[in-house]
């Protein structure tokens, strides 16, 4: 909501450099958190305080497993993966709904004149979470071999690679979902 509001009412010709600097700094901090979260995918046994830091910033990479909701409901790996893939489309849908409401009420039906706010907000959302989106999408393509000869998905060690229908579905969804970051480029 704040993102859409900022893009829709900002007069970029008259905006202060302080606000632009604050926005750029925030974007850089989010990108840093996402990059730190990438280190969690490495096969390294981290010690505290690094382990705690990585665990805290994993939320910026849509790592909902840190909330351990599987203890309550027991969702499958496929369900967790689909949930991660749906974060950005749901965010884009929410921004679209906010735009329709704002264009109807605040901007008195001027959809064409305010479409730039929707485009800018959607672009900022995708750009802000580009690293996290890419990591989530590529998860089923990253398999690791265990000593018993079985292959599992690196991020979902309970999911066997190449031996189940769930992995095939995840691969197909991953190929389709690659259109988000590739389309953004």
């Amino acid at each position: 909501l704040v993102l859409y509001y900022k893009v829709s009412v900002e007069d970029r010709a008259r905006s202060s450099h302080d606000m632009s600097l604050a926005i750029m700094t925030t974007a850089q901090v989010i990108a840093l958190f996402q990059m730190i979260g990438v280190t969690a995918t490495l096969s390294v046994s981290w010690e505290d305080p690094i382990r705690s830091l990585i665990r805290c910033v994993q939320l910026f990479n849509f790592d909902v497993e840190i909330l351990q909701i599987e203890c309550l409901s027991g969702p499958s790996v496929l369900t967790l993966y689909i949930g991660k893939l749906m974060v950005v489309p749901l965010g884009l849908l929410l921004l679209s709904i906010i735009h329709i409401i704002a264009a109807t009420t605040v901007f008195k039906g001027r959809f064409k004149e305010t479409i730039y706010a929707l485009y800018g907000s959607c672009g900022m959302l995708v750009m802000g979470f580009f690293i996290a989106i890419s990591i989530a999408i590529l998860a089923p393509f990253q398999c690791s071999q265990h000593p018993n000869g079985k292959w599992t998905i690196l991020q979902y060690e309970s999911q066997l690679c190449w031996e189940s229908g769930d992995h095939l579905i995840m691969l197909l969804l991953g190929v389709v979902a690659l259109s988000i970051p590739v389309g953004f480029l």
Side-chain angles (χ1 to χ4, degrees):
L1 190 58
V2 173
L3 172 71
Y4 180 83
Y5 175 77
K6 181 67 181 152
V7 172
S8 66
V9 299
E10 178 184 40
D11 181 6
R12 283 176 274 300
R14 298 176 199 248
S15 67
S16 72
H17 294 293
D18 295 339
M19 182 55 82
S20 297
L21 181 62
I23 291 171
M24 287 187 285
T25 302
T26 302
Q28 290 297 313
V29 168
I30 290 172
L32 174 67
F33 286 168
Q34 290 177 359
M35 287 183 225
I36 291 171
V38 169
T39 61
T41 64
L42 301 175
S43 298
V44 176
S45 178
W46 297 102
E47 297 295 324
D48 278 326
I50 302 297
R51 179 177 36 207
S52 298
L53 175 67
I54 290 172
R55 217 163 139 68
C56 289
V57 300
Q58 280 179 313
L59 199 54
F60 286 95
N61 286 339
F62 304 138
D63 193 357
V64 294
E65 286 88 28
I66 64 170
L67 302 175
Q68 297 180 347
I69 57 173
E70 64 272 4
C71 293
L72 299 174
S73 62
S76 68
V77 170
L78 180 60
T79 304
L80 290 171
Y81 182 68
I82 291 171
K84 279 186 177 184
L85 292 184
M86 292 306 296
V87 169
V88 171
L90 289 175
L92 296 174
L93 177 65
L94 179 64
L95 284 173
S96 298
I97 292 169
I98 290 170
H99 173 71
I100 291 169
I101 293 169
T104 305
T105 58
V106 177
F107 300 113
K108 298 175 180 57
R110 295 188 328 239
F111 286 96
K112 273 190 171 181
E113 294 88 0
T114 59
I115 196 71
Y116 71 89
L118 178 62
Y119 293 155
S121 300
C122 290
M124 287 175 67
L125 177 73
V126 173
M127 186 175 71
F129 292 101
F130 185 81
I131 295 169
I133 294 166
S134 300
I135 290 169
I137 290 171
L138 294 173
F141 299 96
Q142 299 172 334
C143 296
S144 63
Q145 188 174 19
H146 293 269
N148 66 1
K150 300 277 187 182
W151 289 81
T152 61
I153 298 176
L154 191 61
Q155 289 185 11
Y156 306 103
E157 292 183 347
S158 64
Q159 180 64 53
L160 292 173
C161 292
W162 319 114
E163 294 185 19
S164 72
D166 282 356
H167 184 245
L168 177 63
I169 292 170
M170 290 172 72
L171 287 170
L172 293 173
L173 288 172
V175 168
V176 171
L178 275 173
S179 65
I180 294 173
V182 171
F184 186 72
L185 293 175

